[in-house]
Amino acid sequence: MFTTNASRGLPRHRSRSIAERYRRWVSRALVAVLVVSLLWLVVAFHLRGQWMFALLFLVLGASLAVVFGKRDLMSHRYVFPALAGMGVFVIFPLLYTVGISFSNYSSSNLLGEERVRAQFLERTYQAEGSAFDFRLYREGERRRLYLEAQGEDADIGTSRLVSEPLADSGQQGALAVHPTQSPPAGEALGMREVIAERERLQRLVLTTPDDVELRMAGLRHFAPILPRYTENPDGSLTDRRDGTRLTPDHEHGFFVDGEGERLTPGWPVAVGLDNYARVLLDPDVRGPFLAIFVWTFVFAGLTVLFTLAVGFVLASLLQWEQLRGKAVYRTLLILPYAVPAFISILIFKGMFNQSYGEINLILENVFGIRPDWFTDPAMARTMLLIVNTWLGYPYMLLLCMGLLQSVPRDLYEASAVDGGGPLTNMFRITLPLIIKPLTPLLIAAFAFNFNNFVLITLLTGGGPDILGASTPAGTTDLLVSYTYRIAFQDAGQDFGLAAAIATLIFLLVMGLSLLNLRLSRVEV
Amino acid sequence: MAMVQPRSIRARKLAAHLALLGVVTLVAFPLLLVISISFREGNFATGSLIPERFSLEHWSLALGIPWERPDGSMVQPPFPVLLWLWNSVKVAAVSSVLILLLATTSAYAFARMRFRGKAGLLKGMLIFQMFPPVLSLVALYALFDRLGQLVPWLGINSHGSLILASLGAVALHIWTIKGYFESIDGSLEEAAMMDGASTWQAFRHILLPLSVPILMVVFILAFIMSIMEYPMASVLLLDEDKLTLAVGAQQYLAEHNQRWGDFAAAAVLSGLPITLVFLLCQRWIVGGLTAGGVKG
């Protein structure tokens, strides 16, 4: 163990080689560029009002500048990049998730209040009663539109309008129309030509001399399109169609009309413990949640038990000195570990297929049964445990083989002298000796399977579904895959609720993790 | 070693061999089956382990070559498997190099230097390593979504985002490399520093060349983990031509259109190299994995 020159207070090493000295300047310049680009991100995020992200990059940039700027933090420079990686991609997302769990962030409350207001203000409607009948006239090669007001009391300047000639082809947006006394010269085109020109006409915006915009509102009409909502000084909106007032409800993040009806989209607001209350009190959420919670524990516990049992027995066999061909057996036995999990899980998905899978073919030929692996909850769970034992026992095998080597041979010798058989050896000598170093690893394996998202997603996708659940929930879902489905699947992505469940899992994992740290007595 | 021998030793040995062979059969069956299916004709053909009607159709499709059936109809490859494999390899290679860089430098500091907060940082890393990234996917998605509005090549549906996101998983590798560094005597580096080498030079020219084996192991481990990464890739990548193999492969077995034969060929094609690498390096990898990592 030694300390750096700088922190010992020794003079800094100065290289005689020019390249070495320039390298120092190059690295300084690199750090400066990084700090500046991070600051640019901070400003950009701040301007967009995303203060969480601005804060993240501010902390990152500032710590980068401090660590690489101060000489006595020499050692920290080596650790900083890795810690920054963990900070940005593990710890920040964790905190952010906990933060979301106290909000109603979801697909219906996605954008900020300002953006939602802007969306409402952009909405338009077509004013009734002041529409124009139109006809398309041909003047040589050119075409003009002639509009005639439908009602007598036309409120737009005048009741007869004629447009500038339409462009020959392509993207014509706005087109001016002028008052006129009579239809333009030329031939009025029939409905067939209008239909042929429909797409072009639909893109057309006609502007009258009083700046009212008219759009095509049917095969015979053009009508003024008006902004639907106007903003009032107190922040509420008025619907110009029927005069309804929409007031912003800052508690729930929606605009509500006079009867308290909510209009989507809304914006995310803090809702306190609402999401947690839903998980624990709302029967439609609580029922599936509890079922999944129990199954998650059962799944992780049984997986550890089965993989350990298989792994331990195989390791004991492979430990036997008089057995030949151990190396070959070992290589074959860790095959499931060597094949990428996403491939072997999909292989099992095909093999367990109810109608043409090999497993059901064999079972039918031998026993005459065809279990419903994917539609019957109990069978689906059995299948998951079988597959996960296949996937997971090599890890336990390797662990046990390592640990068994540390058990002193002469204990077995003594046992044999006293007439102990293999079972006595296992329960009286081997297990008591290896259980202690094994426990933290078993806890880690439990935590891993507790969160075994890939297996569930690729094999069953959570199904068969739990009936009557208000969230997407399946009988084989684990808490993680349940969370994932609430957040990313189906309609109504409810990020807030997903984050609340994720936070509960964080607490559980945290507990397991601390327990593990204590049991394994890590020396640092 | 003189062991006291029970009498029925031969019978027991036979039983042990039979039991092991039985397990090996169960283990190898799915893998052999898939190899066999990849050579069978059609997508639903069943039959014995050695295909009766041999066909290279699925292999041709997996390699991206259209296949002409005997009746003259052309079959186009359903999915760009080779592209997915290439995406996976690309992402895995870049991210494992970066992970190796980060992990090595910090492992050096943790193994050789004394500084404030070291014990706390090491313990903290162990704790945070157990939090599965699946749970913070919403946050990661939001982060890359916003980041992508400013820096497009780091946004959703870019490989840059996936590579960057994988940098969070360095804790395990730091512990592995740190353990190795601590097993190397520090006196060589001290001698170099006495002769005027800077800390960085001692690390770069003395310790690193001595640690090539463990660096290889960590690189391979990180590479394999990255190839198998599913949750983040499934959220961050959207377009079919951007997918990695782990996300793309499941499309073969979609709910209503299971291409069992095509999947088998693609699975063997892409899974075999990874499996072989793992088996060839198993001696080193197993030590690193069982030291602290968890899988399965």
Side-chain angles (χ1 to χ4, degrees), chain A residues 313-338:
Chain A
V313 169
L314 289 176
S316 312
L317 278 177
L318 289 184
Q319 214 51 36
W320 197 10
E321 278 148 18
Q322 302 186 351
L323 203 71
R324 294 227 191 136
K326 277 186 288 207
V328 179
Y329 280 132
R330 196 186 110 127
T331 307
L332 287 174
L333 286 174
I334 62 167
L335 259 183
Y337 202 31

PDB file of all heavy atoms in Angstrom, chain A residues 313-338:
ATOM      1  N   VAL A 313     -25.483 -32.303  -5.400  1.00  0.00           N
ATOM      2  CA  VAL A 313     -25.351 -33.745  -5.623  1.00  0.00           C
ATOM      3  C   VAL A 313     -24.346 -34.017  -6.740  1.00  0.00           C
ATOM      4  O   VAL A 313     -23.459 -34.859  -6.621  1.00  0.00           O
ATOM      5  CB  VAL A 313     -26.728 -34.352  -5.959  1.00  0.00           C
ATOM      6  CG1 VAL A 313     -26.559 -35.778  -6.454  1.00  0.00           C
ATOM      7  CG2 VAL A 313     -27.628 -34.300  -4.744  1.00  0.00           C
ATOM      8  N   LEU A 314     -24.475 -33.263  -7.839  1.00  0.00           N
ATOM      9  CA  LEU A 314     -23.550 -33.477  -8.958  1.00  0.00           C
ATOM     10  C   LEU A 314     -22.118 -33.159  -8.545  1.00  0.00           C
ATOM     11  O   LEU A 314     -21.175 -33.878  -8.887  1.00  0.00           O
ATOM     12  CB  LEU A 314     -23.964 -32.620 -10.149  1.00  0.00           C
ATOM     13  CG  LEU A 314     -25.234 -33.061 -10.859  1.00  0.00           C
ATOM     14  CD1 LEU A 314     -25.596 -32.069 -11.952  1.00  0.00           C
ATOM     15  CD2 LEU A 314     -25.050 -34.446 -11.452  1.00  0.00           C
ATOM     16  N   ALA A 315     -21.946 -32.079  -7.770  1.00  0.00           N
ATOM     17  CA  ALA A 315     -20.599 -31.705  -7.339  1.00  0.00           C
ATOM     18  C   ALA A 315     -20.008 -32.810  -6.465  1.00  0.00           C
ATOM     19  O   ALA A 315     -18.836 -33.155  -6.606  1.00  0.00           O
ATOM     20  CB  ALA A 315     -20.644 -30.392  -6.574  1.00  0.00           C
ATOM     21  N   SER A 316     -20.837 -33.385  -5.574  1.00  0.00           N
ATOM     22  CA  SER A 316     -20.330 -34.459  -4.719  1.00  0.00           C
ATOM     23  C   SER A 316     -19.885 -35.646  -5.572  1.00  0.00           C
ATOM     24  O   SER A 316     -18.837 -36.234  -5.322  1.00  0.00           O
ATOM     25  CB  SER A 316     -21.402 -34.919  -3.739  1.00  0.00           C
ATOM     26  OG  SER A 316     -21.994 -33.816  -3.125  1.00  0.00           O
ATOM     27  N   LEU A 317     -20.680 -35.954  -6.594  1.00  0.00           N
ATOM     28  CA  LEU A 317     -20.304 -37.070  -7.466  1.00  0.00           C
ATOM     29  C   LEU A 317     -18.991 -36.780  -8.185  1.00  0.00           C
ATOM     30  O   LEU A 317     -18.110 -37.621  -8.260  1.00  0.00           O
ATOM     31  CB  LEU A 317     -21.407 -37.320  -8.501  1.00  0.00           C
ATOM     32  CG  LEU A 317     -22.595 -38.144  -8.036  1.00  0.00           C
ATOM     33  CD1 LEU A 317     -23.622 -38.241  -9.142  1.00  0.00           C
ATOM     34  CD2 LEU A 317     -22.126 -39.537  -7.636  1.00  0.00           C
ATOM     35  N   LEU A 318     -18.883 -35.542  -8.714  1.00  0.00           N
ATOM     36  CA  LEU A 318     -17.684 -35.198  -9.481  1.00  0.00           C
ATOM     37  C   LEU A 318     -16.465 -35.081  -8.571  1.00  0.00           C
ATOM     38  O   LEU A 318     -15.340 -35.034  -9.040  1.00  0.00           O
ATOM     39  CB  LEU A 318     -17.900 -33.882 -10.221  1.00  0.00           C
ATOM     40  CG  LEU A 318     -18.864 -33.940 -11.394  1.00  0.00           C
ATOM     41  CD1 LEU A 318     -18.920 -32.602 -12.096  1.00  0.00           C
ATOM     42  CD2 LEU A 318     -18.421 -35.010 -12.374  1.00  0.00           C
ATOM     43  N   GLN A 319     -16.710 -34.990  -7.274  1.00  0.00           N
ATOM     44  CA  GLN A 319     -15.626 -34.847  -6.321  1.00  0.00           C
ATOM     45  C   GLN A 319     -14.992 -36.204  -5.998  1.00  0.00           C
ATOM     46  O   GLN A 319     -13.916 -36.272  -5.439  1.00  0.00           O
ATOM     47  CB  GLN A 319     -16.218 -34.222  -5.047  1.00  0.00           C
ATOM     48  CG  GLN A 319     -15.310 -33.300  -4.306  1.00  0.00           C
ATOM     49  CD  GLN A 319     -14.699 -32.244  -5.204  1.00  0.00           C
ATOM     50  OE1 GLN A 319     -15.327 -31.762  -6.123  1.00  0.00           O
ATOM     51  NE2 GLN A 319     -13.464 -31.917  -4.939  1.00  0.00           N
ATOM     52  N   TRP A 320     -15.695 -37.239  -6.376  1.00  0.00           N
ATOM     53  CA  TRP A 320     -15.265 -38.592  -6.024  1.00  0.00           C
ATOM     54  C   TRP A 320     -14.000 -38.949  -6.790  1.00  0.00           C
ATOM     55  O   TRP A 320     -13.989 -38.980  -8.016  1.00  0.00           O
ATOM     56  CB  TRP A 320     -16.404 -39.566  -6.371  1.00  0.00           C
ATOM     57  CG  TRP A 320     -16.302 -40.893  -5.742  1.00  0.00           C
ATOM     58  CD1 TRP A 320     -15.432 -41.274  -4.761  1.00  0.00           C
ATOM     59  CD2 TRP A 320     -17.100 -42.026  -6.060  1.00  0.00           C
ATOM     60  NE1 TRP A 320     -15.640 -42.567  -4.423  1.00  0.00           N
ATOM     61  CE2 TRP A 320     -16.663 -43.067  -5.212  1.00  0.00           C
ATOM     62  CE3 TRP A 320     -18.141 -42.270  -6.951  1.00  0.00           C
ATOM     63  CZ2 TRP A 320     -17.227 -44.330  -5.241  1.00  0.00           C
ATOM     64  CZ3 TRP A 320     -18.695 -43.521  -6.966  1.00  0.00           C
ATOM     65  CH2 TRP A 320     -18.242 -44.551  -6.118  1.00  0.00           C
ATOM     66  N   GLU A 321     -12.930 -39.272  -6.057  1.00  0.00           N
ATOM     67  CA  GLU A 321     -11.628 -39.429  -6.714  1.00  0.00           C
ATOM     68  C   GLU A 321     -11.583 -40.608  -7.673  1.00  0.00           C
ATOM     69  O   GLU A 321     -10.851 -40.597  -8.647  1.00  0.00           O
ATOM     70  CB  GLU A 321     -10.527 -39.601  -5.668  1.00  0.00           C
ATOM     71  CG  GLU A 321     -10.061 -38.278  -5.113  1.00  0.00           C
ATOM     72  CD  GLU A 321      -9.630 -38.403  -3.677  1.00  0.00           C
ATOM     73  OE1 GLU A 321      -9.375 -39.525  -3.226  1.00  0.00           O
ATOM     74  OE2 GLU A 321      -9.575 -37.367  -3.000  1.00  0.00           O
ATOM     75  N   GLN A 322     -12.356 -41.667  -7.355  1.00  0.00           N
ATOM     76  CA  GLN A 322     -12.194 -42.870  -8.167  1.00  0.00           C
ATOM     77  C   GLN A 322     -13.030 -42.854  -9.442  1.00  0.00           C
ATOM     78  O   GLN A 322     -13.003 -43.803 -10.209  1.00  0.00           O
ATOM     79  CB  GLN A 322     -12.557 -44.091  -7.327  1.00  0.00           C
ATOM     80  CG  GLN A 322     -11.698 -44.138  -6.106  1.00  0.00           C
ATOM     81  CD  GLN A 322     -11.907 -45.380  -5.303  1.00  0.00           C
ATOM     82  OE1 GLN A 322     -12.813 -46.132  -5.571  1.00  0.00           O
ATOM     83  NE2 GLN A 322     -11.061 -45.580  -4.318  1.00  0.00           N
ATOM     84  N   LEU A 323     -13.749 -41.780  -9.628  1.00  0.00           N
ATOM     85  CA  LEU A 323     -14.586 -41.712 -10.826  1.00  0.00           C
ATOM     86  C   LEU A 323     -13.752 -41.228 -12.010  1.00  0.00           C
ATOM     87  O   LEU A 323     -13.004 -40.266 -11.902  1.00  0.00           O
ATOM     88  CB  LEU A 323     -15.739 -40.740 -10.578  1.00  0.00           C
ATOM     89  CG  LEU A 323     -16.962 -40.935 -11.439  1.00  0.00           C
ATOM     90  CD1 LEU A 323     -17.697 -42.194 -11.051  1.00  0.00           C
ATOM     91  CD2 LEU A 323     -17.865 -39.738 -11.284  1.00  0.00           C
ATOM     92  N   ARG A 324     -13.905 -41.907 -13.140  1.00  0.00           N
ATOM     93  CA  ARG A 324     -13.119 -41.499 -14.305  1.00  0.00           C
ATOM     94  C   ARG A 324     -13.916 -40.520 -15.164  1.00  0.00           C
ATOM     95  O   ARG A 324     -15.124 -40.443 -15.070  1.00  0.00           O
ATOM     96  CB  ARG A 324     -12.788 -42.723 -15.151  1.00  0.00           C
ATOM     97  CG  ARG A 324     -11.892 -43.670 -14.451  1.00  0.00           C
ATOM     98  CD  ARG A 324     -10.775 -44.087 -15.345  1.00  0.00           C
ATOM     99  NE  ARG A 324     -10.064 -45.202 -14.747  1.00  0.00           N
ATOM    100  CZ  ARG A 324      -9.692 -46.262 -15.446  1.00  0.00           C
ATOM    101  NH1 ARG A 324     -10.020 -46.330 -16.713  1.00  0.00           N
ATOM    102  NH2 ARG A 324      -9.022 -47.221 -14.881  1.00  0.00           N
ATOM    103  N   GLY A 325     -13.207 -39.813 -16.000  1.00  0.00           N
ATOM    104  CA  GLY A 325     -13.858 -38.935 -16.975  1.00  0.00           C
ATOM    105  C   GLY A 325     -14.539 -37.726 -16.345  1.00  0.00           C
ATOM    106  O   GLY A 325     -15.517 -37.211 -16.875  1.00  0.00           O
ATOM    107  N   LYS A 326     -13.992 -37.243 -15.223  1.00  0.00           N
ATOM    108  CA  LYS A 326     -14.634 -36.122 -14.544  1.00  0.00           C
ATOM    109  C   LYS A 326     -14.602 -34.843 -15.378  1.00  0.00           C
ATOM    110  O   LYS A 326     -15.558 -34.070 -15.393  1.00  0.00           O
ATOM    111  CB  LYS A 326     -13.948 -35.881 -13.198  1.00  0.00           C
ATOM    112  CG  LYS A 326     -14.472 -36.805 -12.133  1.00  0.00           C
ATOM    113  CD  LYS A 326     -13.895 -36.440 -10.805  1.00  0.00           C
ATOM    114  CE  LYS A 326     -12.436 -36.816 -10.744  1.00  0.00           C
ATOM    115  NZ  LYS A 326     -11.970 -37.079  -9.381  1.00  0.00           N
ATOM    116  N   ALA A 327     -13.490 -34.637 -16.087  1.00  0.00           N
ATOM    117  CA  ALA A 327     -13.357 -33.401 -16.867  1.00  0.00           C
ATOM    118  C   ALA A 327     -14.433 -33.334 -17.954  1.00  0.00           C
ATOM    119  O   ALA A 327     -15.041 -32.289 -18.182  1.00  0.00           O
ATOM    120  CB  ALA A 327     -11.969 -33.323 -17.481  1.00  0.00           C
ATOM    121  N   VAL A 328     -14.687 -34.469 -18.589  1.00  0.00           N
ATOM    122  CA  VAL A 328     -15.696 -34.502 -19.650  1.00  0.00           C
ATOM    123  C   VAL A 328     -17.078 -34.211 -19.067  1.00  0.00           C
ATOM    124  O   VAL A 328     -17.832 -33.375 -19.567  1.00  0.00           O
ATOM    125  CB  VAL A 328     -15.698 -35.876 -20.351  1.00  0.00           C
ATOM    126  CG1 VAL A 328     -16.751 -35.909 -21.436  1.00  0.00           C
ATOM    127  CG2 VAL A 328     -14.323 -36.164 -20.901  1.00  0.00           C
ATOM    128  N   TYR A 329     -17.408 -34.923 -17.964  1.00  0.00           N
ATOM    129  CA  TYR A 329     -18.696 -34.691 -17.313  1.00  0.00           C
ATOM    130  C   TYR A 329     -18.862 -33.223 -16.950  1.00  0.00           C
ATOM    131  O   TYR A 329     -19.895 -32.613 -17.181  1.00  0.00           O
ATOM    132  CB  TYR A 329     -18.793 -35.532 -16.036  1.00  0.00           C
ATOM    133  CG  TYR A 329     -19.147 -36.975 -16.280  1.00  0.00           C
ATOM    134  CD1 TYR A 329     -18.428 -38.004 -15.677  1.00  0.00           C
ATOM    135  CD2 TYR A 329     -20.219 -37.310 -17.092  1.00  0.00           C
ATOM    136  CE1 TYR A 329     -18.749 -39.322 -15.886  1.00  0.00           C
ATOM    137  CE2 TYR A 329     -20.553 -38.640 -17.313  1.00  0.00           C
ATOM    138  CZ  TYR A 329     -19.818 -39.641 -16.709  1.00  0.00           C
ATOM    139  OH  TYR A 329     -20.151 -40.932 -16.925  1.00  0.00           O
ATOM    140  N   ARG A 330     -17.788 -32.659 -16.388  1.00  0.00           N
ATOM    141  CA  ARG A 330     -17.866 -31.281 -15.925  1.00  0.00           C
ATOM    142  C   ARG A 330     -18.185 -30.347 -17.085  1.00  0.00           C
ATOM    143  O   ARG A 330     -19.081 -29.501 -17.005  1.00  0.00           O
ATOM    144  CB  ARG A 330     -16.535 -30.887 -15.281  1.00  0.00           C
ATOM    145  CG  ARG A 330     -16.603 -29.649 -14.451  1.00  0.00           C
ATOM    146  CD  ARG A 330     -15.221 -29.276 -13.990  1.00  0.00           C
ATOM    147  NE  ARG A 330     -14.829 -28.066 -14.706  1.00  0.00           N
ATOM    148  CZ  ARG A 330     -14.405 -26.985 -14.085  1.00  0.00           C
ATOM    149  NH1 ARG A 330     -14.256 -26.984 -12.793  1.00  0.00           N
ATOM    150  NH2 ARG A 330     -14.096 -25.904 -14.770  1.00  0.00           N
ATOM    151  N   THR A 331     -17.466 -30.522 -18.184  1.00  0.00           N
ATOM    152  CA  THR A 331     -17.697 -29.652 -19.337  1.00  0.00           C
ATOM    153  C   THR A 331     -19.127 -29.793 -19.848  1.00  0.00           C
ATOM    154  O   THR A 331     -19.802 -28.802 -20.126  1.00  0.00           O
ATOM    155  CB  THR A 331     -16.711 -30.001 -20.463  1.00  0.00           C
ATOM    156  OG1 THR A 331     -15.396 -29.963 -19.928  1.00  0.00           O
ATOM    157  CG2 THR A 331     -16.840 -29.035 -21.602  1.00  0.00           C
ATOM    158  N   LEU A 332     -19.607 -31.041 -19.927  1.00  0.00           N
ATOM    159  CA  LEU A 332     -20.974 -31.243 -20.420  1.00  0.00           C
ATOM    160  C   LEU A 332     -21.986 -30.660 -19.441  1.00  0.00           C
ATOM    161  O   LEU A 332     -23.009 -30.116 -19.845  1.00  0.00           O
ATOM    162  CB  LEU A 332     -21.232 -32.737 -20.638  1.00  0.00           C
ATOM    163  CG  LEU A 332     -20.522 -33.335 -21.842  1.00  0.00           C
ATOM    164  CD1 LEU A 332     -20.729 -34.834 -21.891  1.00  0.00           C
ATOM    165  CD2 LEU A 332     -21.047 -32.691 -23.127  1.00  0.00           C
ATOM    166  N   LEU A 333     -21.684 -30.776 -18.149  1.00  0.00           N
ATOM    167  CA  LEU A 333     -22.661 -30.343 -17.156  1.00  0.00           C
ATOM    168  C   LEU A 333     -22.768 -28.827 -17.065  1.00  0.00           C
ATOM    169  O   LEU A 333     -23.806 -28.312 -16.642  1.00  0.00           O
ATOM    170  CB  LEU A 333     -22.322 -30.938 -15.787  1.00  0.00           C
ATOM    171  CG  LEU A 333     -22.643 -32.424 -15.656  1.00  0.00           C
ATOM    172  CD1 LEU A 333     -22.146 -32.966 -14.326  1.00  0.00           C
ATOM    173  CD2 LEU A 333     -24.139 -32.647 -15.777  1.00  0.00           C
ATOM    174  N   ILE A 334     -21.701 -28.098 -17.421  1.00  0.00           N
ATOM    175  CA  ILE A 334     -21.875 -26.639 -17.355  1.00  0.00           C
ATOM    176  C   ILE A 334     -22.343 -26.064 -18.686  1.00  0.00           C
ATOM    177  O   ILE A 334     -22.423 -24.850 -18.846  1.00  0.00           O
ATOM    178  CB  ILE A 334     -20.606 -25.903 -16.880  1.00  0.00           C
ATOM    179  CG1 ILE A 334     -19.452 -26.114 -17.842  1.00  0.00           C
ATOM    180  CG2 ILE A 334     -20.236 -26.295 -15.471  1.00  0.00           C
ATOM    181  CD1 ILE A 334     -18.306 -25.158 -17.551  1.00  0.00           C
ATOM    182  N   LEU A 335     -22.703 -26.932 -19.628  1.00  0.00           N
ATOM    183  CA  LEU A 335     -23.215 -26.435 -20.913  1.00  0.00           C
ATOM    184  C   LEU A 335     -24.351 -25.411 -20.774  1.00  0.00           C
ATOM    185  O   LEU A 335     -24.324 -24.391 -21.446  1.00  0.00           O
ATOM    186  CB  LEU A 335     -23.698 -27.612 -21.763  1.00  0.00           C
ATOM    187  CG  LEU A 335     -22.757 -28.090 -22.863  1.00  0.00           C
ATOM    188  CD1 LEU A 335     -23.429 -29.192 -23.648  1.00  0.00           C
ATOM    189  CD2 LEU A 335     -22.404 -26.940 -23.790  1.00  0.00           C
ATOM    190  N   PRO A 336     -25.352 -25.665 -19.919  1.00  0.00           N
ATOM    191  CA  PRO A 336     -26.448 -24.696 -19.839  1.00  0.00           C
ATOM    192  C   PRO A 336     -25.979 -23.306 -19.430  1.00  0.00           C
ATOM    193  O   PRO A 336     -26.626 -22.308 -19.730  1.00  0.00           O
ATOM    194  CB  PRO A 336     -27.350 -25.272 -18.740  1.00  0.00           C
ATOM    195  CG  PRO A 336     -27.028 -26.701 -18.683  1.00  0.00           C
ATOM    196  CD  PRO A 336     -25.582 -26.816 -19.050  1.00  0.00           C
ATOM    197  N   TYR A 337     -24.838 -23.261 -18.760  1.00  0.00           N
ATOM    198  CA  TYR A 337     -24.296 -21.988 -18.325  1.00  0.00           C
ATOM    199  C   TYR A 337     -23.605 -21.286 -19.489  1.00  0.00           C
ATOM    200  O   TYR A 337     -23.536 -20.064 -19.543  1.00  0.00           O
ATOM    201  CB  TYR A 337     -23.296 -22.265 -17.209  1.00  0.00           C
ATOM    202  CG  TYR A 337     -23.017 -21.113 -16.300  1.00  0.00           C
ATOM    203  CD1 TYR A 337     -23.986 -20.170 -16.042  1.00  0.00           C
ATOM    204  CD2 TYR A 337     -21.784 -20.987 -15.688  1.00  0.00           C
ATOM    205  CE1 TYR A 337     -23.726 -19.122 -15.195  1.00  0.00           C
ATOM    206  CE2 TYR A 337     -21.526 -19.952 -14.831  1.00  0.00           C
ATOM    207  CZ  TYR A 337     -22.494 -19.014 -14.594  1.00  0.00           C
ATOM    208  OH  TYR A 337     -22.235 -17.979 -13.761  1.00  0.00           O
ATOM    209  N   ALA A 338     -23.064 -22.098 -20.417  1.00  0.00           N
ATOM    210  CA  ALA A 338     -22.280 -21.548 -21.517  1.00  0.00           C
ATOM    211  C   ALA A 338     -23.167 -21.047 -22.648  1.00  0.00           C
ATOM    212  O   ALA A 338     -22.819 -20.119 -23.350  1.00  0.00           O
ATOM    213  CB  ALA A 338     -21.300 -22.592 -22.039  1.00  0.00           C
TER     214      ALA A 338
END
